Every structure is written in structure tokens, then in C-alpha cells.
Amino acid sequence: MEIIDRLEKNGALNYAHLKNPVYLKTTLPILVEMFWSENPVFYQLLLQEADLETIRKRVFNYLADFERKNFTFHHNTDTTKRNISRRCIQVLKNIFSIRSEELTGQSVLKFLTELAHQPEVTASVAFIEDLRNIFLGMKGKTELGSKVISMEHFEKDNHRAVARLRSQTLNIVGEKIDARISKYPGGLDDEVIRMRTANRDRIIKVLGASTKEWNDWKWQCRNIVRDVKVLEKMIRLTPRERMAIERGVGNRLPFGITPYYVSLMDYEAGRKHDHAIRAQVIPPLDYVENVLLSKELGADLDFMGEKDTSPVDLVTRRYPQIAIFKPYNTCAQICVYCQRNWEITDVLDAGAKASNSKLESALQWFEENPEVTEVLVTGGDPAVMNDAMTRKVLGRLAELDHIRRIRIGTRTPVVLPMRITDEYAKILAGFIEPGRREVAVMTHFEHLYEITPESVRAVRKLRSRGVPVYNQGVFTMENARRFEMVGLRKALRSIGVDPYYTFNAKGKEETRAYRVPIARLIQEQVEEARLTPGLDRCDEAVFNIPRIGKSYLRAGHDHEVIMLTPDGSRVYEFYPWDLGFADTKPYLHEDVPILDFLAEMSKRGEDPDDYRSIWYHF
């Protein structure tokens, strides 16, 4: 208790101060002491004078004792805590294994042994806190657990009374969900619509245009905002936003925003409500600096290994029956964290259209590979192609009898909804042959603040002609608050868009400001999405493995935590879906520390305690 009192007195887990080096220096020794006091037997095992392998055997016996307890618990034991305990034990066995040490080149067991013998050894708060929570989970001391309706206060077999109590409890849960979602304003709120109408009028005045021109997608493309001085006439920028844009544009990093998408931003700087909007197109300053450094050092920014999965130019293939076709290599605007932005020279680059020879070569490849029955036309954004080019590309694909589904990957319903004209929708629908060929649109709404009357009209034009619309969201720091993605999925369903995938934001150091721990996405899908109706939650949490493709995060057999780095990052080993018939190896992914995420949530006004179960999602 004395240690715990000291911990609370010193505010060891005051998340708002976790970026302060002085604060961390004073907090760390208390956390380490607390960890040892909570695990005295484990501590003594490390203190014994023995070689590392002897200590490892004793530690595994220690873990086995807890594992045996899980099979001897009384049937009334809290099921949630038992399941958490089993998962934590497996993670600890992985972390302490020789195999994990050889794969990662790191040893938690060696580090902890040194820390036990030499208190001056420096650990990180994120490392100790993650390990401490995993040990608490192993021992069933998480303060998490199932709340079961007790039958003892009811007459025997009084099922109706139990059902009514359950219904009352569910009402409370539903009310809390609605209260959470209502915290996040959406683009269909009356007040937001009025604000954006004023934004539109102001931007039209700046550009010397008319409302008719505003609603013309070609006018929007001709007036892409590329200059920070022009942008500042439309919205207010913070000094860092302005500096990031100037630095990026000055070094030829792709940058541009459609006037329509600028109108979705709040006029005042500060990112109170429009954080997800600005973050997609206005890069953080450290992102710009890291990308420029990577380019200077000649680093390969092809994170997904596109070059290794491209049998011919314009084609990417990772799966047996589907391939990507990229006829147009640019977009109306560039998302900062896009996995393909390294391929794009500039927004609406004049040379983005593939040459006729490359197009013919790629189409010939599809013709020669009848095993590919589905094509995802993406790039770049193929919807930015003109109608004639769209007819040509889709027409050639439709000539192939074995192509049974064509998907159009586009963000135009989000960033340029006026592109979805009646004629464009008619073109897509014209290639649908019920029973033989489907045509679908795959788009990328990231936040319910992006859903507007204009995007609703775009979706309705497609849906009314039989073209289904699906959403692939990217889970970032901008939509990772509790029930934020639930709010998006509910709003999407209400306008006729089916949730399809939620991708974990990926990348390297360049996109670190956007990345969220895998544990948070799994937590969202298991705890939040599960509470909503099935059609709202019908998307799947996935992680894209470079060169291999999607790994389903809720499928525990596809991945596991095998190491914890000194800075508190979990290392995941992903097992490719094609393991067994292709020469592919498991992929190691170093995640972002959970404590860093919680600190950022605290900075954004969230209560970290609301996320406390995050430690037990692996």
C-alpha cells in the first residue's frame, strides 16, 4: 500500500505529463518498484544467481502454475478474467521464449533480469506499464469482469422477471452508446450544414466563381487549392499547419485540396471538430520532415511491396482470384497516410493517365489469366478519369468473360461528390449484368463529419441504378475515440453505404502521428462494434501485410504478440494466409506503444480509464 500511495501521490500515470522527460524520470522508479511488489515470486526468480536459460525454465514453470489454475477454477469464477488470464499467459510465454528472441533480436527476460539486479538500468514507462498490466491480467486482477444477472433474487423459473431486468440493463447500455456518439458532430447536422454553406459562399467569393461552377466537378478540379496563401483566404491555419504546407510544397511533396473539401473544414483553426478532415490533407510537420529525410537517404517508401506483386505494369496481384488495375495514377487530393502516395507525382498530374501501350499490356495480362475473376480498378482515383476513358477501361474489362466483378476504388463521393453525375452513374450501371457481372464502388469515408448532403446525393445516384457502395475506413488517431467509428458506420448505413473493412493505419516513422495500436482496433471491434446491430458492424478489422495482403485481426490464429520492445511497443508476428502453398514468411510488425496512445487520448480530452481494457487485446 505504501508504494501505491507513493504512486498516486506522484501522479505516476498522469497521462497529460507523459511527454515530459523530467516527469518520466521521477515516475519510472516508482512504477518499477510497484511492478516488483505486485510480482514478488517472479522478482525472486530473476534475483537468483543463475544463467539466463535456468532462469527461463523457472519462469516458464511459474507461468505454468497460473495456467494450471485456469483449469481448476470453480465454475463460478469470472469467465472474462479467466479468458484474459489465458491470453496473457500465452503472450508472456511468447515474450519470454528463445524463438521470439531470435526472431526479434531482443530479450525481455534478459532486460528484466538486469533491471532486477541493477536498479540503475533504464526502462521506459510504456514498457513497464504494458508488462505490469499483462501480469495483472494473468492473475485475474484487472478490475474487468462480466456483470451477470443474478437469479437469487427471483423466484425459481421466473424467466420473465429476468428478461425484463436484462431489457432494462440493455436500455442503459443503449443510452450510453447514443450519448457517446452524440458527442461527435456529423456533416448532416443542421448547424454544420449552415456553417458549411457560409464556408462555400466565402470560398466561391475568393475564387470569383458561381454556385453553378461550384457544382461542376471539372471546375472543382481546375481550382484545386495548392497554395497556402489562397488556402488562408478560405480558412485559418495554425503556424505549424502553414509551415508544414510550405515546407512540403516547396520540396515538391504532392499537395492539393478540392474547394469542396476545404468547405468541410471549420473556419477557425484548432481542429476541434474538423480534426479528421484537416489531418487527411494537411500533413503534420514531422511527417513532412521524415518523408524528406527518407527521400534524401534513398529509402524505399513502397511500404506494401507493390513492386514485388506487380507481374506487369499497372497490375498488382496478391490473391488467387482478384487483382488491382491502376490505369490512372493520381487523385483529386492526396491523403497524407495513403499507402500509395509515394507513387503519385502530384495532385491531378497531367501525366497520370497510363500510356496506351501499358494499358494494352495490362489488359492482355488479365485476358491471359482467367483465374482472376475480380478486378479492383484503383490507383490513383479512377473516378477522376473522364467519362470517355471510363467507358473505354470498363468496356475492355467487360469483354473478358471470366471477369465477374469490377470494383471502382474512389474517394470522389467524399472529396468531390459532384463527380458522381447522372451520366457517370449510368456508365457504371451499364456494365452490370445480373447473374454474370457486378459493378461496385469502394469508397473511403473516415469520419461522420465527412458525410454531407452532397455525398448523400452522390451515393443515391449510384444506388438508384443498382450500383452498391461499400466503405473501407482507415483507423487513425482521428477516429479512434470510443464509439467514433460506431457513429461513422451508423451514419454510413443511413445513407446507403455498407461498411466493408476497417484498416489499421500502417506505415513507418513518417505516419507515426496517425498510427493507433492494433490493440485499440481490436478493442473497438470486439467491445464497441459488437454492441450495435449486425448491419452496422458488418465490416472487418484488418491489417495489410506487405506483399501478402489482409490479415483479419479478430482471427487470433493469424497473428500473435511475440515481444515487447524497451520503448513499450508490442511486436506482432503475422502469419500470411498463403502460408503453406507459397514461399512467404511470417511478417514482424512493431506497433506503437499503448501508453503513447492513451496519453494522446488524454490530450484530446478523453478519460484513459474508459480504455483500460485495451491492455488485454492482442
Side-chain angles (χ1 to χ4, degrees), residues 200-449:
R200 181 202 63 190
D201 293 344
R202 181 175 58 254
I203 295 170
I204 284 176
K205 186 175 180 180
V206 169
L207 296 177
S210 65
T211 303
K212 182 178 179 181
E213 287 175 311
W214 176 270
N215 291 318
D216 179 354
W217 73 277
K218 293 181 181 178
W219 178 91
Q220 290 275 337
C221 289
R222 289 194 299 271
N223 288 275
I224 295 294
V225 182
R226 304 170 185 270
D227 187 280
V228 70
K229 293 180 180 178
V230 175
L231 183 60
E232 283 191 308
K233 294 178 181 178
M234 301 173 178
I235 60 169
R236 289 181 176 173
L237 300 173
T238 65
R240 287 186 67 84
E241 286 174 335
R242 191 181 205 284
M243 191 182 303
I245 295 171
E246 289 180 328
R247 181 94 168 102
V249 171
N251 286 276
R252 297 185 178 181
L253 294 185
F255 175 79
I257 315 173
T258 64
Y260 164 80
Y261 202 69
V262 176
S263 76
L264 306 191
M265 300 178 188
D266 301 340
Y267 177 69
E268 297 293 339
R271 301 192 179 195
K272 181 179 180 181
H273 296 309
D274 67 346
H275 56 94
I277 306 285
R278 292 195 182 214
Q280 288 182 60
V281 287
I282 301 178
L285 186 57
D286 61 345
Y287 166 87
V288 173
E289 298 294 350
N290 283 326
V291 169
L292 293 178
L293 179 61
S294 296
K295 286 179 176 287
E296 183 181 334
L297 296 176
D300 188 359
L301 298 178
D302 178 15
F303 174 76
M304 280 303 296
E306 296 274 337
K307 294 188 289 290
D308 294 338
T309 52
S310 182
V312 295
D313 286 345
L314 312 185
V315 175
T316 297
R317 188 182 186 185
R318 301 190 185 103
Y319 307 103
Q321 293 187 306
I322 180 173
I324 294 172
F325 180 34
K326 300 178 287 187
Y328 193 71
N329 195 33
T330 193
C331 302
Q333 60 185 44
I334 308 299
C335 301
V336 176
Y337 49 78
C338 176
Q339 70 184 39
R340 290 197 181 95
N341 60 17
W342 65 275
E343 292 185 291
I344 296 174
T345 303
D346 198 6
V347 174
L348 296 181
D349 179 32
K353 176 186 172 183
S355 66
N356 287 333
S357 61
K358 285 187 177 182
L359 281 173
E360 290 303 318
S361 176
L363 289 165
Q364 183 178 348
W365 182 89
F366 280 106
E367 185 175 357
E368 294 170 351
N369 289 271
E371 297 79 12
V372 175
T373 60
E374 181 172 335
V375 180
L376 171 59
V377 185
T378 183
D381 192 328
V384 183
M385 298 188 301
N386 62 38
D387 289 351
M389 182 69 175
T390 300
R391 284 194 190 92
K392 176 183 177 181
V393 170
L394 298 188
R396 289 296 306 278
L397 289 173
E399 290 174 1
L400 305 178
D401 290 338
H402 59 278
I403 301 300
R404 301 189 62 82
R405 181 180 295 117
I406 299 172
R407 288 193 280 158
I408 311 297
T410 174
R411 279 211 85 201
T412 54
V414 187
V415 307
L416 189 64
M418 48 283 293
R419 171 59 183 113
I420 311 300
T421 62
D422 290 325
E423 180 62 21
Y424 184 77
K426 183 179 177 181
I427 291 171
L428 299 190
F431 293 103
I432 296 174
E433 293 187 29
R436 182 178 178 274
R437 185 189 311 110
E438 177 187 5
V439 176
V441 166
M442 317 298 299
T443 193
H444 301 278
F445 285 94
E446 297 300 313
H447 200 276
L448 69 168
Y449 210 54

Side-chain angles (χ1 to χ4, degrees), residues 585-596:
K585 298 178 181 179
Y587 175 72
L588 298 186
H589 167 71
E590 187 172 311
D591 211 13
V592 292
I594 289 176
L595 199 63
D596 287 4

Side-chain angles (χ1 to χ4, degrees), residues 1 3 39 54 91 99 135 185 213 267 281 342 370 405 433 435 443 452-453 531 547 563 597 605:
M1 285 301 296
I3 293 173
N39 303 283
T54 299
V91 169
R99 178 181 180 276
F135 268 81
E213 287 175 311
Y267 177 69
V281 287
W342 65 275
R405 181 180 295 117
E433 293 187 29
T443 193
T452 66
L531 293 174
R547 293 175 295 281
M563 186 54 66
F597 166 77

Side-chain angles (χ1 to χ4, degrees), residues 73-85:
F73 280 159
H74 190 271
H75 73 280
N76 286 331
T77 301
D78 189 299
T79 303
T80 299
K81 290 183 178 180
R82 179 175 181 271
N83 287 337
I84 289 174
S85 175

